Amino acid sequence: MPDVVLVTGVSRFIGAHLAGRLAESPGVGRVLGVDVVPPSPELSRRMGGAEFVRADIRHPLIAKIVSEARVDTVVQASTGSDGLPTARTAHREMSVLGTMRLMAACQSSPRVRKLVLKSTSAVYGASPRDPAVFTEDTAPRDLPSSGCAKDAVEVEGYARGLGRRRPDMDITVLRFTDLIGPRIDSALTRYFSLPLVPTILGRDARLQLLHTEDALTALQRATLEEHPGVFNVGGDGVLMLGQAIRRAGRVPSPVPGVAVPPLTGFLRGTNLSGISAEQLELLNFGRVVDTTKLRERFGFVPRWTTQQAFDDFVRGRGLRPLVSPERIREAERGLGRVVSRVGR
């Protein structure tokens, strides 16, 4: 059981809620929540007994905090984009440079015995040449060349390097599929909240989602238990993009073209104008990961399936259908009859 835990990224949903859960865990002596800005009043309440420390993990001072607070467990939860929108340069600096400084601090402190890294399945990329399912050992056909996915690849490289230099340290890497839930704000939740949801004509990507509550449980267990290694974390099952749009009561708006770029212009001027290229690729090609290792070695099965997690998001946000499901099904049946007649 860890004595002093340091959690980064507590000004965002996952970091703040995780710090609060760990502070309530029996046997944990102290939880420090670190971020460059204070959490909102709501997130401060969620942190509970965790202590907020205003610090920048990109600064070498983080090593002093780790040493003087006698930290023995570090959770890097500030990677990814599960909450507040962040400028690309600032995000890269926080993810890449910040993780490099944080891991240097872990390496130099003999008290640190465990590192938990919140990563993403985006490290596998998304392309038309992908396998049906990615395992933890599957090499991506096309490595991410930009954006948060490229940052995640670099961050995981730092974690592997730390493991080689500190073989006595337990390092757990959790590769989350895209997070969804009624209380999280992300590019994906904003996408499905649009009245007209842009899609790419001729594509119907497979989506695998993870409920935020399951993400928090996985992080909490990785912190409190011993589960070294890399694990894919995602809900069971998949949703086709078209199915998800209909379940949200939205109306799909196909954009001509088989590549990602046509969507960029379509989204300009909406609250999704800053959506990343790798997120557009996901909506184009989809991505599914294998979670056998999570179930058999980690011993964790997400409570929500992909479909249940998405439905909980829809209910929690109070999304009301713009077109009744009956009319959508009637239109689909009519289209099917037209297609069948044309094919004769």
Side-chain angles (χ1 to χ4, degrees):
M1 184 65 64
D3 183 31
V4 181
V5 182
L6 184 145
V7 180
T8 67
V10 293
S11 68
R12 294 194 278 179
F13 181 93
I14 292 294
H17 283 71
L18 177 63
R21 287 190 177 198
L22 293 174
E24 295 174 355
S25 301
V28 176
R30 186 183 182 194
V31 177
L32 303 178
V34 174
D35 214 322
V36 292
V37 296
S40 67
E42 170 62 21
L43 291 181
S44 292
R45 289 191 292 271
R46 294 293 180 180
M47 285 180 62
E51 307 169 39
F52 173 68
V53 178
R54 187 165 188 168
D56 190 338
I57 62 173
R58 296 169 293 183
H59 195 280
L61 182 64
I62 190 64
K64 183 177 180 181
I65 295 174
V66 169
S67 175
E68 293 188 352
R70 304 171 71 86
V71 172
D72 56 63
T73 302
V74 173
V75 183
Q76 167 58 313
S78 63
T79 54
S81 55
D82 57 86
L84 299 174
T86 308
R88 172 69 193 124
T89 301
H91 182 278
R92 175 170 173 78
E93 287 185 357
M94 186 60 68
S95 292
V96 178
L97 178 58
T99 300
M100 183 176 65
R101 296 287 192 191
L102 183 65
M103 292 188 182
C106 293
Q107 179 182 337
S108 63
S109 174
R111 290 187 177 276
V112 178
R113 296 296 180 181
K114 178 182 292 187
L115 170 72
V116 178
L117 174 64
K118 170 180 166 286
S119 189
T120 170
S121 62
V123 297
Y124 299 117
S127 79
R129 302 189 298 118
D130 285 345
V133 179
F134 285 99
T135 69
E136 288 84 352
D137 298 323
T138 305
R141 299 291 177 87
D142 294 301
L143 275 172
S145 58
S146 63
C148 299
K150 182 176 183 294
D151 296 346
V153 171
E154 293 185 37
V155 165
E156 286 198 12
Y158 293 147
R160 288 191 295 271
L162 176 63
R164 289 191 294 269
R165 294 186 294 272
R166 285 285 306 274
D168 60 313
M169 186 181 297
D170 283 345
I171 298 177
T172 304
V173 178
L174 301 179
R175 290 175 177 167
F176 290 157
T177 58
D178 284 81
L179 301 182
I180 201 162
R183 297 184 294 165
I184 192 171
D185 177 35
S186 67
L188 193 66
T189 59
R190 293 192 294 272
Y191 173 77
F192 285 114
S193 299
L194 292 173
L196 296 176
V197 181
T199 61
I200 297 176
L201 187 64
R203 299 283 186 183
D204 197 12
R206 295 177 305 152
L207 303 179
Q208 184 180 20
L209 306 173
L210 179 67
H211 198 287
T212 49
E213 290 298 315
D214 282 326
L216 286 167
T217 300
L219 283 167
Q220 183 179 12
R221 287 191 53 182
T223 305
L224 301 178
E225 303 168 3
E226 294 184 4
H227 298 289
V230 179
F231 299 91
N232 291 331
V233 188
D236 287 343
V238 300
L239 270 179
M240 305 305 291
L241 179 60
Q243 289 178 312
I245 292 172
R246 291 191 293 272
R247 296 184 81 88
R250 309 291 96 179
V251 178
S253 180
V255 177
V258 295
V260 172
L263 266 180
T264 305
F266 190 92
L267 295 175
R268 189 173 295 116
T270 72
N271 63 349
L272 287 175
S273 58
I275 193 169
S276 64
E278 66 267 19
Q279 288 166 327
L280 290 176
E281 289 173 352
L282 173 69
L283 298 173
N284 190 6
F285 304 114
R287 181 172 52 243
V288 179
V289 300
D290 181 84
T291 58
T292 302
K293 186 177 176 183
L294 178 75
R295 296 193 305 271
E296 296 182 353
R297 287 185 51 185
F298 195 103
F300 175 60
V301 178
R303 176 182 171 188
W304 280 268
T305 65
T306 289
Q307 178 178 310
Q308 290 169 342
F310 189 82
D311 289 346
D312 191 46
F313 152 72
V314 173
R315 288 191 300 269
R317 289 295 179 89
L319 297 181
R320 298 184 178 181
L322 300 177
V323 180
S324 69
E326 292 75 16
R327 293 192 62 181
I328 292 177
R329 286 193 289 269
E330 181 181 346
E332 288 176 337
R333 287 193 294 268
L335 180 60
R337 289 192 293 270
V338 171
V339 172
S340 64
R341 287 197 296 268
V342 171
R344 289 173 184 170

